[in-house]
Amino acid sequence: MTTLFKSQELWDFLKDGFVDSTTGEPTPEIKEKRKKDSKALFLIQQALDDEIFPRIASATTSKQAWDTLKQEFLGDKKVVMVRLQSLRRDFETAAMKEKEKVQEYLSRVSGIVHLMKSYGENMTNEHVVSKVLRSLTSKFDHVVAAIEESGKHL
């Protein structure tokens, strides 16, 4: 959803919020900000199903709705840190099982990486590829060596 809000130039409203403290006739700039904040709130509301919508129904700004959803689905900072630590451990200790297919292993690692990124972890493709190559079973040693050697010539 972040990409959607960024593409509509609405991300700052969710991240920083918008406080409308005008009294009297609002300026054209304030009217435009109100409109954008309302658009962001509308997009959030439209993305939710009937079961989740009541949790943000009382929100009057997009930031309020976004923060409520973040708290609901990610938890507070301590919870996020604990979950990230657990995912980091899972990532670092992941190894391909003897009977596991490469695609199954890649899917498992990708799932962990996706969750880590959803909690704000900055994970480069190089780091993930390096981890996967290090943790393949020994029957792939020749493939890993060939990949590493070809990378040195680039």
Side-chain angles (χ1 to χ4, degrees):
M1 283 199 66
T2 306
T3 305
L4 170 68
F5 291 110
K6 286 181 179 179
S7 72
Q8 299 294 312
E9 298 179 359
L10 301 171
W11 179 245
D12 289 341
F13 290 94
L14 275 64
K15 189 177 63 153
D16 304 327
F18 166 65
V19 179
D20 187 357
S21 58
T22 57
T23 55
E25 186 63 30
T27 65
E29 182 183 345
I30 294 294
K31 285 182 180 181
E32 183 64 25
K33 286 183 177 183
R34 281 181 186 168
K35 183 178 177 180
K36 284 188 168 192
D37 187 60
S38 294
K39 181 178 181 181
L41 181 58
F42 171 76
L43 289 171
I44 292 170
Q45 292 170 340
Q46 291 300 301
L48 302 178
D49 63 26
D50 292 341
E51 185 179 319
I52 298 171
F53 180 80
R55 298 173 190 173
I56 61 126
S58 64
T60 56
T61 68
S62 59
K63 180 162 179 51
Q64 287 174 345
W66 190 253
D67 287 347
T68 300
L69 292 172
K70 274 183 16 184
Q71 179 67 31
E72 188 84 21
F73 291 100
L74 292 180
D76 63 15
K77 288 183 181 184
K78 273 188 175 181
V79 171
V80 169
M81 290 305 292
V82 168
R83 288 180 182 165
L84 257 177
Q85 279 301 110
S86 176
L87 289 166
R88 286 180 189 129
R89 183 191 66 240
D90 292 347
F91 178 78
E92 292 303 326
T93 60
M96 185 175 173
K97 298 172 185 157
E98 209 53 51
K99 301 279 184 188
E100 191 172 26
K101 295 179 182 174
V102 174
Q103 188 59 45
E104 291 169 345
Y105 177 59
L106 290 175
S107 292
R108 188 161 52 96
V109 171
S110 292
I112 294 169
V113 169
H114 178 73
L115 282 172
M116 290 172 74
K117 286 182 176 181
S118 74
Y119 285 110
E121 185 78 0
N122 187 11
M123 183 80 71
T124 65
N125 288 338
E126 290 81 10
H127 185 68
V128 176
V129 169
S130 175
K131 166 60 182 168
V132 168
L133 291 177
R134 283 192 321 270
S135 59
L136 292 172
T137 59
S138 59
K139 71 181 180 183
F140 291 99
D141 285 349
H142 64 286
V143 176
V144 171
I147 291 171
E148 289 174 343
E149 191 60 35
S150 69
K152 290 178 185 176
H153 299 293
L154 295 178

